[in-house]
Amino acid sequence: MDSQTPQSSQASPSPHTFQVDLRGLVDLLSHHLYSSPRVYLRELLQNAVDAITARRAEEPDAPARVRLFASGGTLRVEDSGVGLTEADVHDLLATIGRSSKRAEGLQEARSDFLGQFGIGLLACFVVAERIRVVSRSARTPGAPPVEWTARDDGSYTVRTLPDEERPEPGTTVHLTARAGAAEWLAEQRVLRLARDFGSLLPYDVRVGEEAVTDLPAPWDRPYPSPSGRRVVLARHCHELFGFTPLDSIELNVPLAGIRGVAYVLPAAVSPAQRAGHRVHLKGMLLTERAEQLLPDWAFFVRCVLDTDSLRPTASRESLYEDETLAAVREALGERIRAWLTGLAAGDPERLAAFLAVHHLGVKSLARHDAEMLRTMLPWLPFETSDGRLSLEEFAQRHPVVHFTRTVEEFRQVAPIASAQGVGVVNGGYTYDAELVEALPSVRPGTVVAELDADTVTAHLDAVEPAVELALSGFLAAARAKLDPLGCDVVLRAFHPLSVPALHLDDRSARHEQARAEAEERADDLWAGILGSLRGSAPRARLVLNHLNPLVRRIGSLRDAELIGTATESLYGQALLMAQRPLRPADSALLNRAFIGLLEWATHGESARDSAQGDSAQGDSAQGEGGR
């Protein structure tokens, strides 16, 4: 059967070459790959610098100049680099996807950010309708200059030129602006972009007569004193980021080829806010918005640095997440951690100023770093029942470090606990509960316990049995009134005397309360399911203060309705004092208690007026009879 197979079925189909729509590619570059047309100048500078680097690899004494001239919607960029032959032009400039950095003899040249993707000069079509390149090779001295002219419709021409057109090796790129893009080729715009991208480039770069490079970098310059260095770096930070830093941190990681500085923000920021850092790759600005450069806990600094080890993405506007970046992130985190440790050891005033603003960042770090927690214990501030203290000082005052997990719980118990000599730390703020729980690991012998309603109640003085027995009727009426709200009533004696009642609950009690409310609103099926989840958690409780004069007067009431109104009023006042969010039932109770008290007050006054009137009439009758 094989011998009968048609010959055409065995023949391999002829391969076809992909056709590239240059207009479509330019649209892709300008609207999807690049965030702004400004990147065109970075590509021009990068190509020029790479060409010079390649030439100097063979001729160490070769000139290293880049000159930019902008005028009337055109831009000319001249470099003294390695240049191209006609064959190089056909092979490199006209082939999308092939990079000159992989051509023979350029492998050892500086690693190109975007050239490795073979896009190269195409980025210039974002602002230009025509690109003209005139180049002469330094490797082939006898080769004539060559001209490559390309348009944004995808066409190009190549021709050789007389020697006088380009007598010296190097390359000149001419751009002609496309409609609506002339502003990008204006001289002042070009100068600003060149300084932004190329201020740390190692070669002589100028726009007209204006110098672009500014070396050495501010963090590499010698200074007469540390204070002088801080002043100059603060000015540099203000120019780059627009703020005057609290301090500056040197970022020097030779093994990763990193030099730079981190600036400490002068105001607190959210940990969720992603910081934007400036990263230069061998002098060329890569991005102003590198977000993954530092550990998440270091959200209180902004960095600017130069590196030769990190890998960019295709757009050259962010960093590629790989093992190298992970190692750099860890190394930079170590530098910031060492700075904090140094402040704690030798400059407590600066540390205090820093922590006053950024204690949240240090707490975030200390959660996962026992040594940092141990170092910062005397400095990190916490809200406590004794005021704002460090955990170290608080633990020295109290044999047991109690803490709450929410701000509401702390507000409930802090005044009472303080009066009873019970130390409480507010663990309701970000990271605080975790750090308190970690305290025994760095301070052996410290006892830490979560504070709940039972613990607080146990520290309050019980009243004498005879007194509680005498008030049993009042307490029964009060308990019956609050039972529908899932709240018990207990009588204790505690300070301060000004607090008539204290509302106590814990998370388990609140969860049970929420379950019960959901069960009431649910249909039969869900009510049955929620009912099966009923827990045995203790209920909330209203602790009445027997030392308070108002509570004593209320306890002597005999009117059951008035006892109920007074109990609801004490309950509502205790909720408000604890700054707890009110449920609809609580709001209704407060309104009902307020109206009830008004009715009682006005009814009592009417009764008194009536009694006074009856008395006056009796006195008058007696007077008439006497006459």
Side-chain angles (χ1 to χ4, degrees), residues 583-606:
R583 300 170 298 163
D586 297 330
S587 299
L589 175 145
L590 280 171
N591 184 63
R592 184 170 63 247
F594 178 71
I595 297 299
L597 289 176
L598 285 179
E599 288 180 348
W600 177 82
T602 55
H603 174 75
E605 185 171 341
S606 298

Side-chain angles (χ1 to χ4, degrees), residues 123-270:
C124 294
F125 279 121
V126 173
V127 298
E129 67 174 10
R130 186 168 72 100
I131 302 174
R132 176 172 172 257
V133 178
V134 177
S135 187
R136 184 163 191 160
S137 175
R139 290 203 182 91
T140 312
V146 60
E147 176 191 73
W148 176 80
T149 304
R151 296 184 176 276
D152 61 1
D153 61 2
S155 63
Y156 74 92
T157 59
V158 179
R159 66 189 181 103
T160 58
L161 301 175
D163 288 348
E164 59 269 18
E165 289 287 337
R166 179 80 199 195
E168 298 294 331
T171 300
T172 302
V173 179
H174 302 262
L175 301 186
T176 302
R178 62 192 304 162
E183 62 173 310
W184 291 102
L185 273 60
E187 183 176 20
Q188 288 304 310
R189 174 67 68 87
V190 169
L191 178 60
R192 287 198 301 271
L193 292 178
R195 284 178 171 165
D196 201 28
F197 285 118
S199 62
L200 301 183
L201 290 174
Y203 304 134
D204 180 16
V205 182
R206 295 177 182 270
V207 177
E209 299 299 322
E210 297 285 341
V212 168
T213 53
D214 184 20
L215 295 176
W219 52 84
D220 284 331
R221 298 171 189 168
Y223 295 96
S225 65
S227 59
R229 173 185 173 86
R230 282 197 294 269
V231 168
V232 174
L233 290 180
R235 185 163 56 245
H236 177 249
C237 174
H238 195 275
E239 293 171 354
L240 284 185
F241 298 114
F243 65 85
T244 301
L246 282 178
D247 207 346
S248 57
I249 307 168
E250 182 177 356
L251 301 178
N252 181 13
V253 189
L255 292 179
I258 287 178
R259 290 286 300 168
V261 62
Y263 294 116
V264 181
L265 291 166
V269 294
S270 167

Side-chain angles (χ1 to χ4, degrees), residues 453-614:
D454 288 336
T455 304
V456 176
T457 306
H459 280 81
L460 304 180
D461 295 334
V463 298
E464 294 181 2
V467 173
E468 189 162 1
L469 181 61
L471 294 173
S472 58
F474 162 74
L475 292 175
R479 287 166 182 153
K481 194 66 176 179
L482 296 186
D483 183 69
L485 296 173
C487 183
D488 292 330
V489 178
V490 296
L491 186 67
R492 293 289 187 273
F494 57 87
H495 293 274
L497 301 180
S498 58
V499 177
L502 178 65
H503 181 271
L504 293 178
D505 64 1
D506 51 29
R507 283 172 297 154
S508 58
R510 287 195 294 274
H511 291 166
E512 173 61 20
Q513 191 176 61
R515 186 210 58 78
E517 291 175 355
E519 182 180 355
E520 291 179 1
R521 296 191 301 268
D523 56 27
D524 292 341
L525 174 61
W526 282 109
I529 294 175
L530 291 170
S532 67
L533 300 176
R534 183 179 294 111
S536 59
R539 305 204 308 171
R541 66 199 66 177
L542 181 68
V543 184
L544 301 179
N545 186 2
H546 186 59
L547 299 181
N548 181 268
L550 176 62
V551 172
R552 286 176 177 254
R553 287 197 296 271
I554 293 174
S556 65
L557 295 174
R558 294 293 178 265
D559 186 333
E561 184 177 350
L562 186 54
I563 290 175
T565 300
T567 302
E568 288 182 333
S569 300
L570 290 174
Y571 176 83
Q573 189 268 346
L575 285 180
L576 294 175
M577 186 181 72
Q579 301 182 42
R580 291 287 306 277
L582 299 180
R583 300 170 298 163
D586 297 330
S587 299
L589 175 145
L590 280 171
N591 184 63
R592 184 170 63 247
F594 178 71
I595 297 299
L597 289 176
L598 285 179
E599 288 180 348
W600 177 82
T602 55
H603 174 75
E605 185 171 341
S606 298
R608 287 191 297 273
D609 289 344
S610 177
Q612 290 174 358
D614 291 343

Side-chain angles (χ1 to χ4, degrees), residues 354-369:
F354 166 76
L355 290 178
V357 179
H358 295 299
H359 58 273
L360 195 58
V362 180
K363 287 181 178 180
S364 175
L365 169 60
R367 288 183 305 151
H368 307 294
D369 189 325

